[in-house]
Each structure stands twice: as C-alpha cells, then as structure tokens.
Amino acid sequence: MRLHRCAEVGCRELIKLGFDYCDEHYSKRMSSYQDRRAKADELNSRTLRGQRDKAEYFKQYNEVVRPELGHEFYQSKQWEHISRYVKQRDMYTDAVDGKVYDQGNLIADHVVPRRLLKSKAEQLDMDNLWLLSRSHHSHKTAIENKMTDEKLKHISRDWWKKVLKN
C-alpha cells in the first residue's frame, strides 16, 4: 500500500493515498471550517437577501422534504386547530417544569408517540397530548429514539415528567 505524508506543515504522519490530512489535522480543519461557515451563515441571515434565501429554503423544505418524511400530519388544518386548543387548554404552560411560555416556544406533543397509534382518531386524541418546551421536546425525542416501541406504549406522563426534570 502506498502512503504519503500529511499535507499539514510540520506533520510527519503517513496516510493513505487519496487523503490529504491525517485524522488529527482533518478534524481540526473540519471544525475550523464549520465555525467559519456558522459565522458566515449568521452574518448572511442578517441581510435582506439572506433572510429571503432562508425563507425560500424553509418553504421548499416544508413543501418537498417534510411530506417525504411523513410530517404532512403536522401540516394539516385539523392538527393546527387541535394544537392551538391544547395550548389554550394548558394555558401555555410546560407540563414538565410548569413555566409559562409564548406560543412559539411550546410544542403540542404526543405522550405515546404518534407512530405507535394506529388510527387518525387516536393520533388526534387530546388525552394523549401535552405541552412541552422545545428543549424538553428535543430531550424526550432523543430518549424515545433509544427505546423500544413496546416500552414506549406503556410509559406514563408521570414517568416522562420525572425523567425530563433531571
């Protein structure tokens, strides 16, 4: 197998042909690139053109990508009405920590995940819905992804509250 030296000045690491940098320098360069890219995106989003481009990207994403991922349920008028009702019912209060949030920071979430519910009536059942802040919702989703469907069917609100508080 043919090898060559890393392209980083002063590095003497031998690597396979087809690669320019050793693992250490590749990860440093990649993180530097990602930092520069994030800063450029932030600056770009402050301009009118950047805001327009971002709006067009999200419009395209909502029209093309989301339906392919199975998110058309969340785009329906029926879900929008029920979501709004649940927010009013629970008075814009997070179910885990009891803090009051504005409308945009709360998500109407299914206690038992929607993918495990068979009929649309079950998916729209308001007894299975509660409000979570964005951070609690992300945490709950991450935990759900690590659990089996059989366990998820039997988990109660109280269990979720206890887990999400920690």
Side-chain angles (χ1 to χ4, degrees), residues 44-45 47-58:
N44 192 27
S45 68
T47 65
L48 289 175
R49 182 182 181 117
Q51 290 171 355
R52 188 196 73 214
D53 290 346
K54 190 174 182 182
E56 285 179 13
Y57 168 79
F58 283 119

Side-chain angles (χ1 to χ4, degrees), residues 73-89:
F73 172 82
Y74 296 109
Q75 302 294 314
S76 70
K77 289 288 182 194
Q78 207 172 13
W79 172 254
E80 288 177 16
H81 291 299
I82 288 178
S83 175
R84 196 174 318 121
Y85 173 79
V86 169
K87 289 176 182 179
Q88 291 172 352
R89 177 193 73 184

